């Protein structure tokens, strides 16, 4: 019953060979990767307004110059990530760039910053969407945590179903937002041309602080939240249909143009029409009110803004699992995050993100304002490291125009670096200290995990075959193996002491890996056959059980084959969390499997203890 419910929610398994069919075209990719970037204008404009309004009309008059400067920075960052996409088509974004150009420590800092950014993006977007909904239906305020968790559950199920389903469904709110907001901006431009604008109402804006350089810099830095999400496409290049880099690059260009249009258009019209919001509405709501009044168009704008804020969390679900898989492949996160689930998505990474996001929503009681101070530090730290790495990248390659490219990347690194410092200092006591503290803690965890995997590899590597022992006490023995290592060596040595009919079985998750293993196997254990079982649905247990049942039926020797299981035993209990526990799953399945052919199957563990 559980399997039926699971497949109803998630969908039936998809064969590995269909992976390319599950990739995203540019239309769906823009919907999957852009919600965070596009929705960021909803709070970036608000932050600029709040930062400058304390200085009165004199402060607000600087909003457009600041918006132009941020747009220029957006172009620089987009250009940097466009080059990253073509230079690093395997994905990873800032982590990959920093790893190759700045070294391991910088790469791990970038990875920690990105993971925190994705986690906080999911939490902030969901709670902001719930807050917008509760503004229209106040009764929901007391249930905001439950509503946010429900939306999180729906988004998790949607992403577990696979890339194409996610991109198709999310295309609705994304393109609704674009098809309503861009025409509104064009309408505003026409209104200005025909009837002119109006100045800010000075009588309603009283300066409470002087206009200082720090105030301007602070408004610029907080307004730079408009750039959050722009790195998402560079992290998800492998999700695109071939040619991956070209499609990802074109999608990034389109997204950057749309972001620039939305941001500078809304800031500019706010200036031209002297828009000042009331205390209970945002600056974008006030702009829509100024242009559309209380018409149906105004409410459509608000609904589309709500929807894109709600689905902005999907950028995290698109990139957090993929970056986690890259880190896991490099040995810095648990190996379980590498494997694709039934629907050809990184299911474990999606579930990990969902659990962590749910924990944040509960911990902060669904309060967006409490989460925002933690929000921008990670994103701009990753920007800074990525662009710094690209400077060294161009310097090392020295291709055409490398000096100009290095200059622009260096300029972007400097600007985003200053932003990190300003946000970190100004928001430190408001909660930014949590993010600043979390980055080194995550880096420490990455290094501990890497040290563990490296120690395991050193201990299990096989240098030569073990000596053969010719005694027997069982008719047939099957040894499931994951490769050639000390564990399988120990299992083979033991199996020789109890049987002369020994077969090794390897379940091939990645097509082609079995043949490579077979060639090396024959140089070590020529007298022990290796059976390679294909697994189009990436299951280890089912092909193995079917093989055992089939061979037992064929032999008809009055017994079931004994199973000798090689098993690694970590030195510390917590290190078990870093391994797949495949031996335990096989053993549990066989132990609780019903009696077949009138006999119980003998299962023998051969432990290999790892040193600390």
């Amino acid at each position: 019953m559980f399997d039926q419910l699971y497949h109803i929610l998630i969908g039936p398994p998809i064969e590995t060979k269909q992976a390319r069919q599950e990739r995203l075209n540019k239309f769906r990719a823009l919907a999957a990767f852009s919600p965070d970037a596009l929705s960021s204008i909803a709070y970036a404009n608000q932050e600029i307004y709040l930062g400058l309004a304390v200085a009165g009309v004199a402060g607000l008059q600087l909003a457009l110059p600041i918006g132009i400067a941020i747009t220029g920075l957006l172009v620089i960052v987009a250009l940097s990530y466009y080059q990253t996409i073509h230079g690093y088509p395997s994905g990873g974004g800032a982590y990959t760039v920093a790893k190759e150009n700045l070294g391991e420590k910088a790469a791990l800092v970038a990875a920690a910053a990105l993971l925190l950014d994705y986690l906080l993006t999911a939490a902030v977007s969901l709670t902001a969407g719930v807050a917008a909904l509760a503004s229209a239906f106040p009764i929901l305020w007391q249930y905001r945590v439950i509503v946010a968790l429900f939306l999180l559950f729906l988004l998790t199920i949607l992403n577990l179903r696979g890339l194409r389903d996610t991109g198709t469904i999310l295309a609705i709110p994304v393109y609704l937002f674009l098809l309503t907001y861009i025409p509104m901006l064009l309408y505003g431009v026409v209104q200005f041309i025909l009837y002119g604008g109006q100045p800010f109402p000075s009588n309603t804006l009283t300066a409470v602080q002087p206009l200082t350089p720090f105030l301007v810099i602070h408004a610029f830095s907080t307004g730079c939240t408009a750039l959050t999400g722009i790195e998402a496409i560079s992290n998800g290049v492998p999700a695109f249909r071939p040619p991956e880099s070209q499609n990802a690059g074109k999608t990034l260009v389109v997204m950057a143009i749309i972001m620039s249009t939305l941001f500078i258009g809304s800031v500019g019209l706010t200036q031209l029409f002297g828009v000042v919001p009331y205390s209970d509405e945002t600056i974008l709501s006030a702009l829509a009110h100024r242009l559309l009044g209380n018409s149906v168009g105004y409410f459509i704008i608000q609904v589309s803004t709500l929807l894109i804020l709600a689905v902005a969390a999907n950028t995290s679900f698109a990139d957090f699992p993929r970056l986690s898989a890259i880190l896991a492949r490099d040995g810095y996160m648990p190996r379980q995050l590498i494997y694709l689930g039934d629907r050809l998505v990184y299911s474990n990474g999606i579930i990990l993100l969902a659990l962590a996001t749910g924990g944040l929503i509960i911990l902060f009681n669904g309060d967006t304002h409490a989460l925002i101070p933690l929000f921008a530090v990670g994103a701009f730290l990753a920007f800074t490291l990525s662009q710094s790495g690209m400077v060294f990248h161009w310097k090392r390659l020295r291709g055409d125009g490398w000096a100009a490219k290095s200059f622009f990347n260096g300029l972007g690194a400097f600007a985003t670096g200053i932003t990190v410092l300003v946000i970190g200092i100004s928001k430190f006591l408001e909660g930014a200290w949590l993010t600043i503290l979390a980055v080194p803690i995550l880096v420490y965890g990455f290094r501990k995990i890497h040290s563990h995997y490296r120690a395991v590899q050193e201990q299990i590597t096989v240098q030569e075959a073990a000596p053969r022992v010719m005694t027997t006490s069982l008719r047939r023995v099957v040894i499931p193996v994951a490769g050639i290592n000390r564990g399988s060596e120990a299992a083979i040595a033991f199996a020789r002491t109890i049987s002369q009919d020994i077969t090794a079985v390897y379940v091939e998750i990645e097509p082609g890996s079995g043949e490579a293993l077979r060639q090396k196997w024959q140089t070590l254990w020529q007298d022990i056959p290796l059976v390679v079982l294909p697994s189009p649905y990436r299951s280890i247990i089912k092909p193995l059980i079917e093989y055992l049942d089939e061979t037992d039926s064929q032999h008809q020797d009055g017994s079931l084959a004994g199973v000798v299981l090689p098993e690694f035993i970590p030195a510390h209990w917590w290190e078990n969390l870093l391994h797949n526990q495949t031996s335990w799953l096989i053993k549990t399945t066989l132990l609780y499997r019903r009696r077949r052919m009138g006999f119980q199957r003998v299962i023998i563990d051969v432990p290999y203890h790892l040193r600390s």
Side-chain angles (χ1 to χ4, degrees), residues 285-412:
S285 174
L287 175 61
H289 254 138
R290 171 64 178 78
L291 296 175
L292 305 174
N294 287 320
S295 66
V296 174
Y298 166 77
F299 290 101
I300 293 175
I301 289 289
Q302 294 305 103
V303 169
S304 64
T305 304
L306 161 65
L307 290 177
I308 199 168
L309 273 170
V311 302
N314 192 71
T315 298
S316 299
F317 279 93
D319 280 334
F320 182 98
R322 194 170 299 279
L323 178 58
S324 297
I326 293 172
L327 287 167
R329 192 172 291 113
D330 290 345
Y332 293 108
M333 290 189 76
R335 292 279 168 80
Q336 294 93 322
L337 297 171
I338 296 176
Y339 302 110
L340 293 171
D342 288 348
R343 301 286 293 178
L344 294 176
V345 292
Y346 295 108
S347 303
N348 291 333
I350 291 172
I351 294 171
L352 175 62
L353 174 63
L355 292 175
T357 302
L360 274 180
I361 291 172
I362 294 172
L363 181 63
F364 287 87
N365 197 32
D367 187 354
T368 305
H369 297 293
L371 287 165
I372 282 180
L374 289 69
F375 183 39
V377 175
F380 282 93
L381 180 57
F383 288 169
T384 303
L385 289 171
S386 175
Q387 294 187 79
S388 298
M390 291 304 294
V391 171
F392 288 94
H393 175 77
W394 299 128
K395 188 175 181 180
R396 187 179 70 255
L397 293 182
R398 291 183 177 270
D400 294 338
W402 72 270
K405 294 175 181 177
S406 294
F407 170 78
F408 281 110
N409 287 132
L411 180 62

Side-chain angles (χ1 to χ4, degrees), residues 169-235:
I169 295 176
L170 293 184
I172 297 173
V174 170
Y175 288 107
L176 174 64
F177 177 76
L178 295 179
L179 292 175
T180 55
Y181 210 87
I182 292 177
M184 184 191 73
L185 296 180
L186 293 175
Y187 176 73
V189 172
V190 172
Q191 287 288 305
F192 175 76
I193 294 173
L194 293 178
Y195 306 109
Q198 66 183 61
F200 286 106
S202 57
N203 59 329
T204 61
L205 287 174
T206 303
V208 296
Q209 290 185 23
L211 184 62
T212 63
F214 179 80
L215 185 69
V216 176
I217 292 174
H218 181 268
F220 170 82
S221 63
T222 55
C224 280
T225 52
L227 276 67
T228 57
I230 197 171
E231 80 291 345
I233 291 177
S234 71
N235 294 334

Side-chain angles (χ1 to χ4, degrees), residues 95-118:
Y95 167 72
T96 304
V97 175
K99 181 182 177 183
E100 182 169 315
N101 299 285
L102 302 177
E104 179 194 35
K105 292 181 180 179
L108 295 181
V109 170
L114 279 175
L115 291 178
L116 287 171
D117 177 46
Y118 294 143

Side-chain angles (χ1 to χ4, degrees), residues 60-80:
L60 289 180
Q61 288 176 344
L62 294 177
L64 184 57
I66 289 176
I68 293 173
I70 292 175
T71 303
L73 179 59
L74 188 153
V75 172
I76 294 174
V77 174
L79 177 62
S80 173

Side-chain angles (χ1 to χ4, degrees), residues 436-452:
I436 296 171
L437 179 63
V439 169
I441 292 176
L442 280 176
V443 170
Y444 175 78
F446 293 155
R447 294 177 71 88
K448 288 291 290 183
I449 292 172
H450 190 67
S451 297
H452 167 74

Side-chain angles (χ1 to χ4, degrees), residues 6-15 18 161 342-344 537-538:
Y6 176 83
H7 288 141
I8 290 174
L9 289 175
I10 307 303
I14 301 173
E15 290 192 48
Q18 296 178 355
R161 290 190 63 88
D342 288 348
R343 301 286 293 178
L344 294 176
Y537 296 104
R538 300 163 300 285

